[in-house]
Amino acid sequence: MKKALHITSLLFAAGILTAIITTGALLFAMFSTTGDQQRTEALFGGVVFETHPGAAGGVEATMGIENPFVILGVFAVCLLFCVLFDRIVRALARRRRYLLQQQSSDAHGRADGTDATAPHPDSVHAPRSTAPGRPVDAGRAPSTGSARA
C-alpha cells in the first residue's frame, strides 16, 4: 500500500509539472500572437493559439492541444525528473540516518570494542601523509618542497 501511494504521488507530481509547463507554453503562445489572423504553436507544436477576425470587428481566439504525443513526452520527462529527484532525496536521507547511527554508536562506545575516547582512524587527529606511503614526522611541519638541503 505504501509503495502504491508513493508511485501515485510521483505520477501526480509529474502531472502537475506537465500542467504548469503546458499552461506556460499556452500563455507564451497567447502573448506572442500579434495579428488578427495568426496561428501560434508552442511547446514543439503541442499547444496552439489561433486568432481570426470575428463579428462586428472583434477578434475570436481559439486554443487547444495540437499534438498530444508532445504533451505525453513532457509528462514522461517530468516523471523521470520526479523519480530521479525522489531517488536522490531518499539516498541522502538514508545517508543521514547512517551517519546519525554512527554518531550515536561512537558516543556510546564503538561496536568493535575499542575505546570511544580514542580518535577514529579516519578522524582529523590521525597522522596525515604528504604523499602515499610517506608519513609526516610529528615533530616538524611538512616541507613544501621549495628548500632542499
Side-chain angles (χ1 to χ4, degrees):
M1 182 65 183
K2 211 175 199 183
K3 190 123 178 138
L5 182 63
H6 186 72
I7 291 171
T8 304
S9 67
L10 286 174
L11 289 171
F12 184 73
I16 294 294
L17 283 175
T18 303
I20 289 171
I21 291 170
T22 304
T23 302
L26 189 58
L27 287 172
F28 172 76
M30 239 185 248
F31 288 114
S32 64
T33 302
T34 57
D36 286 346
Q37 186 153 356
Q38 187 175 358
R39 177 183 172 94
T40 306
E41 293 180 353
L43 197 63
F44 309 107
V47 293
V48 64
F49 184 77
E50 186 175 2
T51 59
H52 45 75
V59 176
E60 292 182 10
T62 57
M63 63 183 116
I65 294 176
E66 183 73 18
N67 187 354
F69 295 114
V70 173
I71 307 298
L72 287 174
V74 170
F75 177 78
V77 169
C78 288
L79 183 61
L80 178 68
F81 174 76
C82 288
V83 167
L84 288 176
F85 184 78
D86 180 63
R87 292 287 183 166
I88 290 169
V89 167
R90 284 177 175 242
L92 288 174
R94 199 170 34 248
R95 175 73 175 159
R96 181 176 184 263
R97 279 193 307 270
Y98 170 77
L99 290 175
L100 288 173
Q101 181 185 16
Q102 290 292 56
Q103 183 182 15
S104 68
S105 69
D106 281 348
H108 298 298
R110 293 205 177 106
D112 60 359
T114 60
D115 183 18
T117 59
H120 192 272
D122 294 334
S123 73
V124 181
H125 305 292
R128 296 184 187 141
S129 63
T130 56
R134 293 182 47 203
V136 174
D137 186 14
R140 61 185 178 145
S143 166
T144 59
S146 60
R148 293 210 167 219

